[in-house]
Every structure is written in structure tokens, then in C-alpha cells.
Amino acid sequence: MESIFHEKQEGSLCAQHCLNNLLQGEYFSPVELSSIAHQLDEEERMRMAEGGITSEDYRTFLQQPSGNMDDSGFFSIQVISNALKVWGLELILFNSPEYQRLGIDPINERSFICNYKEHWFTVRKLGKQWFNLNSLLTGPELISDTYLALFLAQLQQEGYSIFVVKGDLPDCEADQLLQMIRVQQMHRPKLIGEELAHLKDQRMQKIDLDQSLEASHPYDGTGMLDEDEENLQRALALSRQEIDMEDEEADLRRAIRLSMQGSSRSSISEDIPQTSGTNSSASLSSEELRKRREAYFEKQQQPEQISHLHETPTTSEDTLETDTGDDMTEEDMLQAAMNMSLETISA
């Protein structure tokens, strides 16, 4: 399909598109067709002048606009016919007496030019297949051999004038290529207006979808893409996990410290010397007991110091010895705290 030359509609230049699609190339421009139209107008004026330039018919003719072209870009069948004569081609009206006389069979022809309400388009055979090269279509439309006669009959019923193009068309790449291969068309081309309407509908649907997404995410005012949103959520989740891990580690260290402090308090309470017949709380004031505990806690919290606490109790068996190494891990500290607690409970 890409090798087929197909001009799409621009303004009202359908006659130009019709001729170029027929000849499969940029053979004619609006300027060249306008020149042919002016030439035809001059020929008609000269024929009218033969009846006298002072006649009423001649003056009326001069006042009328050209019948071969207009400002919109429309060109008459006479302009198209004269343009094709340059290439030795002739137009014969479909089902006319001459058409009947020549016994023309559409399937054996090479091309047709169709006209309806000032619109021109070409139907041409390229290789071994027929194509509708209407400039109002988004691309060439494949027509099967069996459908060709029905297609032409349908055009006639719709009011189209159909002309058979007689003569040898110039060689073209598409005709040579399609002599060797046959093409298949999965989807028929749409009219340009339908395609534009379809594209407009797609744009409107996209706008509606975007508005719906904005409505469902009212706090997303930064225009952030979904991918960026996912990355942000992932980063926040990782950050929360790190904070949770740090909190757990802090809680573990705090629990170990409190456990050791609790065990130490129990040991100190048991290691305070007692006098016969009197209680330790009676012998020591609460202020002295608090100072002794603070001094003990300060010794326990020095990171690189090995503390050995020896106090001489009233009985020789109740001796408490606490040993912490320089390389103790939090797990070792926890185990030591548990051992101290167990020893305290046993004592």
C-alpha cells in the first residue's frame, strides 16, 4: 500500500487530486489546471464573439463567471479532459452510446473517473487489483474484482457520473510492484472527516480521564507521574522501616540497661553491711543509700572500664562480683543481666 500514490483532500482541489492519483504522481498543480481553464474560457469567448461582440448573448457571457473553474479550486470536466489529452488519454461516459458501441466491460478496463456534486475521484487498477483512490479517504481502498461492478452500480444510483479512461497510462512503481504481489487490507480506510472526528473523540476521552484522575487524587497538585508517586511511597516505607529498626535497637539497649541497673540495685541492697539486731534501713539514711547507688551506677556506665565490686558483708558467703568485658555485645550484656537477676533471686 505504501507504494501507491494517494493525495488527500486539500480545500476544493479534488480535480487535481483525481488526476494525480490516476497518473500516480504530482503531474498537475492548481496553476497548471487554472491555465487550462483560462484557455478554455478564451476559446468559448472567441466562439461567442463570432455572433457579434455587440450582441446581447456575448455581453451576457462576459458578465458570467467562468464555468471551468472557480475561486475554491473546482475545475470542470472539460479541464480534466484537456489535461488528460496531454497524455493521450480520453474520457468516455459510462453507459453512453459510445460506451455501448465499444462494448466496454468494466473488469477489463484500467481506470475510471467519478464525479458527484463537484467532487472528483479516481478508481484505478494497479497490478491485478482495483483501488478506490478517493482523496476524501485516509488511504487507498482495496476493491475486489467481484465487488467492482456492484461498486460502480452503487455510485450510479447515488447520482455519480462515471467516465472510463481510455488509453495507456504512464508507468508507475505501484503498478509494477503489484504485478508481482497481491495485497490484503484488514481494515477499510475511513473518510477524513470520520478520522478527524475519531481523533477528536479520543482527545476528549483522554481529557475526561485526566480530569477523573485529578478528582480522585485531590491532594496531588504537583502533576507527579504515577511512577514518581510509587517511588515516593516506596522511599517513605523504607524510611519508616529504618526508624522502626532504630527505635527497636534503642528499646533493646534501654531494656538491657534497666535490667542491669535493677539487678545491681538488688545486689547493693543485699550487700549493705548489717549490724546485729538492727535493720540496714535503720543504720543508713535514705540520702546515704542514694549516694552509694549513684556512685555504683556511674562506675557501671563507663564503656571501657572493667568494674569489680567487692563489698564485705556481715556473712562471708554473700560476695557479689560483677565483670563486664570491653568487647561485650548487647546480647552478652543481656545475658549478663539475666544471670545477675537469677543470682539475685537465688540469693
Side-chain angles (χ1 to χ4, degrees):
M1 287 285 191
E2 295 180 357
S3 62
I4 299 176
F5 182 86
H6 180 249
E7 276 188 358
K8 296 181 177 65
Q9 187 73 21
E10 292 183 7
S12 299
L13 298 175
C14 52
Q16 171 196 320
H17 305 320
C18 174
L19 289 169
N20 289 339
N21 289 341
L22 171 68
L23 301 174
Q24 285 293 285
E26 297 179 356
Y27 286 87
F28 292 99
S29 67
V31 175
E32 293 169 336
L33 294 178
S34 297
S35 177
I36 295 175
H38 287 308
Q39 183 181 353
L40 290 172
D41 289 342
E42 183 62 21
E43 292 175 359
E44 292 177 6
R45 187 193 67 78
M46 291 178 63
R47 285 195 299 270
M48 293 298 295
E50 292 177 357
I53 59 174
T54 58
S55 66
E56 187 68 25
D57 292 340
Y58 182 75
R59 282 185 296 210
T60 303
F61 172 79
L62 293 179
Q63 292 176 358
Q64 292 176 349
S66 171
N68 294 301
M69 63 171 293
D70 61 25
D71 295 337
S72 68
F74 167 78
F75 297 98
S76 66
I77 182 61
Q78 288 80 11
V79 175
I80 294 176
S81 178
N82 279 29
L84 291 177
K85 286 179 181 179
V86 177
W87 295 93
L89 300 172
E90 180 185 3
L91 295 179
I92 299 176
L93 183 63
F94 196 79
N95 282 338
S96 65
E98 186 177 5
Y99 179 92
Q100 299 294 340
R101 181 178 62 81
L102 294 175
I104 295 175
D105 184 1
I107 199 67
N108 296 326
E109 298 303 315
R110 297 294 302 172
S111 58
F112 300 92
I113 286 180
C114 307
N115 169 254
Y116 178 67
K117 292 184 177 180
E118 300 184 352
H119 179 65
W120 301 93
F121 71 92
T122 293
V123 177
R124 173 170 173 172
K125 193 173 189 178
L126 293 168
K128 300 177 181 179
Q129 295 173 287
W130 286 92
F131 295 91
N132 177 9
L133 303 178
N134 194 336
S135 58
L136 292 177
L137 295 175
T138 56
E141 179 185 17
L142 180 63
I143 301 175
S144 65
D145 292 347
T146 55
Y147 181 64
L148 177 64
L150 180 61
F151 178 73
L152 295 175
Q154 181 181 354
L155 291 178
Q156 280 190 305
Q157 290 179 355
E158 294 175 359
Y160 276 83
S161 298
I162 303 174
F163 299 88
V164 182
V165 181
K166 301 296 291 185
D168 296 330
L169 294 166
D171 293 335
C172 65
E173 178 185 356
D175 187 53
Q176 295 173 359
L177 181 62
L178 294 176
Q179 290 286 351
M180 298 180 290
I181 61 173
R182 295 179 67 89
V183 298
Q184 292 183 348
Q185 192 169 49
M186 303 303 295
H187 303 285
R188 294 177 59 186
K190 298 180 180 180
L191 290 172
I192 292 177
E194 293 179 358
E195 182 69 14
L196 292 176
H198 179 65
L199 293 175
K200 183 178 179 180
D201 290 341
Q202 285 184 333
R203 286 195 297 269
M204 293 302 296
Q205 290 175 3
K206 185 178 184 300
I207 292 173
D208 293 340
L209 178 60
D210 293 341
Q211 291 177 348
S212 300
L213 291 175
E214 290 177 2
S216 62
H217 297 82
Y219 299 105
D220 187 9
T222 60
M224 188 179 298
L225 297 177
D226 292 341
E227 184 177 355
D228 295 336
E229 220 172 286
E230 293 178 1
N231 293 335
L232 177 60
Q233 295 297 333
R234 192 179 300 111
L236 291 174
L238 291 175
S239 177
R240 284 194 294 268
Q241 290 178 1
E242 292 176 358
I243 292 173
D244 292 342
M245 291 177 63
E246 292 175 358
D247 291 343
E248 290 177 0
E249 292 177 0
D251 291 341
L252 178 60
R253 286 193 292 270
R254 193 177 299 110
I256 294 172
R257 191 181 304 114
L258 291 174
S259 176
M260 293 181 65
Q261 290 175 0
S263 300
S264 300
R265 290 191 183 97
S266 300
S267 300
I268 292 174
S269 298
E270 293 178 1
D271 293 342
I272 296 176
Q274 298 180 2
T275 58
S276 57
T278 62
N279 190 283
S280 61
S281 59
S283 301
L284 295 175
S285 66
S286 60
E287 181 65 21
E288 292 176 346
L289 183 60
R290 182 181 63 79
K291 288 182 179 181
R292 287 190 181 188
R293 287 180 178 177
E294 287 180 354
Y296 178 76
F297 293 157
E298 289 177 0
K299 291 181 181 181
Q300 287 285 13
Q301 291 177 1
Q302 292 179 357
E304 296 181 356
Q305 183 179 17
I306 301 176
S307 301
H308 296 281
L309 178 62
H310 296 284
E311 293 187 6
T312 306
T314 54
T315 58
S316 60
E317 286 101 359
D318 296 337
T319 302
L320 175 65
E321 181 176 319
T322 303
D323 186 8
T324 58
D326 292 341
D327 297 330
M328 289 183 67
T329 63
E330 290 180 353
E331 185 176 355
D332 296 332
M333 293 173 65
L334 179 61
Q335 185 64 41
M338 293 176 63
N339 293 338
M340 292 174 64
S341 299
L342 290 174
E343 291 174 2
T344 302
I345 293 172
S346 299

